[in-house]
Amino acid sequence: MSFTVLAQDGSSDFTEKFISLPKHLYSKNEIMQNENDERSLLNGTHILSHYFSLKAFIVTDEAGKCISRCAVTIYPDDKTAFLGLFESADDTAAVKELLSAAEEFAKSSGINRIVGPVDASFWIRYRFKTDKFGSPYTGEPYNLPYYPKLWQECGYQICERYSSNHYIKVENQVDSEKFSSRLAEKLASGYSIENVTKNGFNKALKEVYGMLIELYSSFPAYKRINENEFTGLYSYFGSIIRYNMVKMAYFKNKPVGFFISIPDYGNTVYGKLSIADYIKIFRIRSKPSGYVMLYMGVDAEHRGLGKALAEAIRSELKNEGVPSIGALIRDGNINKDYFSSLIDFEYEYILLEKLLDQGE
């Protein structure tokens, strides 16, 4: 079969072929696509678009049907580009043509290394899932099982690994003296750990930004954004969190730590929501069957606070009697081993890279 590679040309036909592809690849229960984000990235109106340039590519078959897509994102003064928004049929030949076109464009722009999958920004979505497919959890970077293989066949190699811990529900008899004593110690020494409230959500979001923007700065693909952009990206959390599952830690009235968990909505919160979806979201939020623990951070000067925050969340999970997922922990992070006795299995994820030959 012969293929045609098309570069983004601003036409509505290209945009619609690009955006419609995931609907032909995923089942209704698995698709995690955010069409609004994709459209705004393609037309340059995303809240973060001013930081980068983005060029999208598609591969069509002999009938003109789109079977593969991706986008290259380039940041000024960075020799590493990001390859993302990747979706494809399981066709190595098509993907080789797609990625070859993306790489040639990157090289022509002075790029010598590509990292992916990164959907334009660290703050949007990145990483491939490598196992345990079929039922995505909220916040998971989900893809079809054969995607990593396709990239590796095109010369990409794993550069980072991540995992998510699936925890069984916390039974009454399960306690950790190490964690509970650390929480008691921190509270006795002047720390406070508080639930975020509805009225205090916007304030807490800004406090999280002030800590997270530095704490996550060493992560792969990280790029700094400003407070307004961060709050614009994450303000929707206010409509899906349960406030007892979002904890802020303070010392002498200064925010020094946070732990953010959300109910597991699966893929219900993605895409265009119907009235039935809103009803389902309301029901899940009212009585979650599980939680996803998405983000935790502690100021480096406050050692041991992470265990105290984890214990505060574990106590809430114990009260609710539901399982949870500790999401997307970078290999080597100490958080990976928290409450290891409650872990019944792990999910795995990877980030890949390819060095580009500049012909020198």
Side-chain angles (χ1 to χ4, degrees), residues 178-199:
K178 181 194 301 182
F179 285 77
S180 57
S181 62
R182 184 58 56 86
L183 175 58
E185 171 197 321
K186 291 298 182 184
L187 295 177
S189 59
Y191 290 84
S192 64
I193 295 178
E194 304 174 9
N195 294 341
V196 170
T197 64
K198 184 176 182 179
N199 290 336

Side-chain angles (χ1 to χ4, degrees), residues 128-147:
F128 274 146
K129 180 179 175 70
T130 64
D131 66 354
K132 298 179 179 63
F133 294 91
S135 184
Y137 59 82
T138 307
E140 182 176 31
Y142 197 80
N143 50 267
L144 293 170
Y146 54 83
Y147 282 11

Side-chain angles (χ1 to χ4, degrees), residues 327-341:
L328 302 168
I329 306 165
R330 188 181 180 189
D331 272 14
N333 192 316
I334 192 173
N335 301 353
K336 179 177 171 60
D337 298 322
Y338 282 5
F339 301 115
S340 57
S341 63

Side-chain angles (χ1 to χ4, degrees), residues 99 159 169 175 183 186 197 216 276 311 340:
L99 298 191
C159 60
K169 63 182 181 180
D175 287 296
L183 175 58
K186 291 298 182 184
T197 64
Y216 286 16
E311 173 62 16
S340 57

Side-chain angles (χ1 to χ4, degrees), residues 52 96 99:
F52 52 75
K96 283 185 175 179
L99 298 191

Side-chain angles (χ1 to χ4, degrees), residues 21 41 83 146 155 198 246 266 296 302 347:
L21 180 57
L41 286 169
L83 183 64
Y146 54 83
K198 184 176 182 179
V246 179
M296 187 187 82
H302 299 267
Y347 308 83

